[in-house]
Amino acid sequence: MYEQRRSKRIPVTMNLEVSSVFKQDNVQVSNINAPIEITDISKNGIGFVSKSILPIGFYFNSRLEFQKEDRSLNCVVQIVRQVEMEDGKYHYGCEFVGMASVFDYIFEEIEKEAE
Protein backbone atom coordinates (compact mmCIF):
# COMPACT_ATOMS: atom_id res chain seq x y z
CA MET A 1 0.00 0.00 0.00
CA TYR A 2 1.34 3.43 -0.97
CA GLU A 3 1.84 5.84 1.96
CA GLN A 4 0.48 9.31 1.14
CA ARG A 5 1.34 11.05 4.40
CA ARG A 6 4.04 13.71 4.40
CA SER A 7 5.06 12.93 7.97
CA LYS A 8 4.86 10.06 10.43
CA ARG A 9 1.57 9.66 12.30
CA ILE A 10 1.88 8.97 16.01
CA PRO A 11 -0.95 7.21 17.87
CA VAL A 12 -2.40 9.39 20.63
CA THR A 13 -5.51 9.57 22.74
CA MET A 14 -6.92 13.08 23.02
CA ASN A 15 -10.44 14.46 23.08
CA LEU A 16 -11.88 17.60 21.49
CA GLU A 17 -15.30 19.13 21.17
CA VAL A 18 -16.24 20.86 17.92
CA SER A 19 -19.10 23.33 18.28
CA SER A 20 -18.89 24.92 14.81
CA VAL A 21 -17.15 24.54 11.48
CA PHE A 22 -16.62 27.18 8.82
CA LYS A 23 -15.46 27.79 5.26
CA GLN A 24 -13.32 30.64 4.04
CA ASP A 25 -16.30 32.29 2.34
CA ASN A 26 -17.94 32.88 5.76
CA VAL A 27 -20.26 29.87 5.54
CA GLN A 28 -20.61 28.55 9.08
CA VAL A 29 -22.35 25.54 10.58
CA SER A 30 -22.98 26.00 14.31
CA ASN A 31 -24.35 23.97 17.24
CA ILE A 32 -22.64 20.79 16.09
CA ASN A 33 -21.35 19.77 19.54
CA ALA A 34 -19.42 16.88 18.03
CA PRO A 35 -17.34 14.90 20.51
CA ILE A 36 -14.08 13.88 18.85
CA GLU A 37 -11.55 11.22 19.78
CA ILE A 38 -8.18 12.00 18.22
CA THR A 39 -6.51 8.77 17.12
CA ASP A 40 -3.23 10.03 15.69
CA ILE A 41 -1.27 13.20 15.13
CA SER A 42 1.64 14.44 13.04
CA LYS A 43 3.20 17.79 12.31
CA ASN A 44 0.88 18.06 9.30
CA GLY A 45 -2.46 17.04 10.81
CA ILE A 46 -4.66 14.83 12.93
CA GLY A 47 -6.86 11.79 12.49
CA PHE A 48 -10.00 11.48 14.58
CA VAL A 49 -13.20 9.51 15.05
CA SER A 50 -16.66 10.99 15.68
CA LYS A 51 -20.31 9.94 15.50
CA SER A 52 -21.09 13.28 13.86
CA ILE A 53 -21.06 13.92 10.14
CA LEU A 54 -18.76 16.87 9.49
CA PRO A 55 -18.43 18.49 6.06
CA ILE A 56 -15.24 17.93 4.07
CA GLY A 57 -13.40 21.11 3.17
CA PHE A 58 -14.59 22.94 6.28
CA TYR A 59 -12.34 24.23 9.06
CA PHE A 60 -12.54 24.34 12.84
CA ASN A 61 -10.56 25.96 15.63
CA SER A 62 -8.96 23.57 18.08
CA ARG A 63 -6.84 23.60 21.19
CA LEU A 64 -4.65 20.53 21.43
CA GLU A 65 -3.49 19.81 24.97
CA PHE A 66 -0.63 17.36 25.15
CA GLN A 67 0.30 15.05 28.03
CA LYS A 68 2.84 17.49 29.38
CA GLU A 69 0.95 20.35 31.03
CA ASP A 70 3.17 23.01 29.50
CA ARG A 71 2.36 21.96 25.94
CA SER A 72 -0.78 23.08 24.18
CA LEU A 73 -1.42 24.38 20.73
CA ASN A 74 -4.20 26.54 19.34
CA CYS A 75 -4.65 25.83 15.67
CA VAL A 76 -7.02 25.78 12.71
CA VAL A 77 -7.71 22.39 11.16
CA GLN A 78 -9.23 21.60 7.76
CA ILE A 79 -11.22 18.39 7.24
CA VAL A 80 -9.82 16.72 4.12
CA ARG A 81 -11.28 13.19 4.16
CA GLN A 82 -14.00 11.09 5.75
CA VAL A 83 -14.52 7.32 5.87
CA GLU A 84 -17.57 5.65 7.42
CA MET A 85 -16.58 2.82 9.74
CA GLU A 86 -18.46 -0.43 10.39
CA ASP A 87 -19.66 0.77 13.82
CA GLY A 88 -21.45 3.78 12.29
CA LYS A 89 -18.80 6.27 13.35
CA TYR A 90 -16.72 8.30 10.93
CA HIS A 91 -12.95 8.50 10.68
CA TYR A 92 -11.66 11.89 9.53
CA GLY A 93 -8.32 13.09 8.24
CA CYS A 94 -7.45 16.73 8.81
CA GLU A 95 -4.59 19.06 8.00
CA PHE A 96 -3.26 21.90 10.11
CA VAL A 97 -3.71 25.22 8.32
CA GLY A 98 -1.07 27.92 8.58
CA MET A 99 0.96 26.08 11.19
CA ALA A 100 4.35 27.72 11.67
CA SER A 101 7.32 25.35 11.40
CA VAL A 102 8.50 26.71 14.76
CA PHE A 103 6.04 24.22 16.34
CA ASP A 104 7.72 21.20 14.71
CA TYR A 105 9.68 20.59 17.94
CA ILE A 106 6.44 19.65 19.74
CA PHE A 107 5.77 16.86 17.25
CA GLU A 108 9.39 15.75 17.24
CA GLU A 109 9.22 15.33 21.04
CA ILE A 110 5.96 13.38 20.78
CA GLU A 111 7.51 11.11 18.17
CA LYS A 112 10.53 10.42 20.42
CA GLU A 113 8.26 9.65 23.38
CA ALA A 114 6.24 7.19 21.26
CA GLU A 115 9.31 5.14 20.29
Side-chain angles (χ1 to χ4, degrees):
M1 181 177 196
Y2 176 71
E3 179 62 59
Q4 295 181 5
R5 295 185 175 110
R6 290 176 280 174
S7 56
K8 182 179 177 181
R9 292 271 176 166
I10 301 134
V12 295
T13 302
M14 300 171 78
N15 293 303
L16 283 177
E17 183 80 24
V18 174
S19 58
S20 66
V21 294
F22 58 91
K23 278 192 111 166
Q24 289 181 330
D25 55 3
N26 292 325
V27 174
Q28 183 169 347
V29 179
S30 299
N31 299 321
I32 293 175
N33 297 322
I36 288 176
E37 177 189 338
I38 298 176
T39 56
D40 56 73
I41 193 166
S42 76
K43 65 181 177 181
N44 296 110
I46 58 174
F48 68 84
V49 174
S50 179
K51 291 181 182 178
S52 300
I53 299 174
L54 301 172
I56 294 173
F58 276 63
Y59 302 83
F60 63 90
N61 294 311
S62 66
R63 178 177 178 85
L64 301 174
E65 295 188 6
F66 299 96
Q67 290 179 348
K68 291 186 177 179
E69 291 179 21
D70 61 339
R71 291 194 303 188
S72 65
L73 190 58
N74 293 319
C75 54
V76 177
V77 181
Q78 181 182 23
I79 302 168
V80 294
R81 75 186 144 271
Q82 172 200 74
V83 176
E84 186 172 6
M85 298 167 34
E86 290 180 11
D87 62 2
K89 293 181 182 178
Y90 296 88
H91 188 268
Y92 292 91
C94 300
E95 291 181 344
F96 295 125
V97 177
M99 178 84 68
S101 60
V102 70
F103 294 113
D104 286 354
Y105 78 93
I106 293 174
F107 300 102
E108 289 166 3
E109 287 179 13
I110 292 170
E111 193 172 325
K112 286 179 187 174
E113 290 172 3
E115 293 176 347

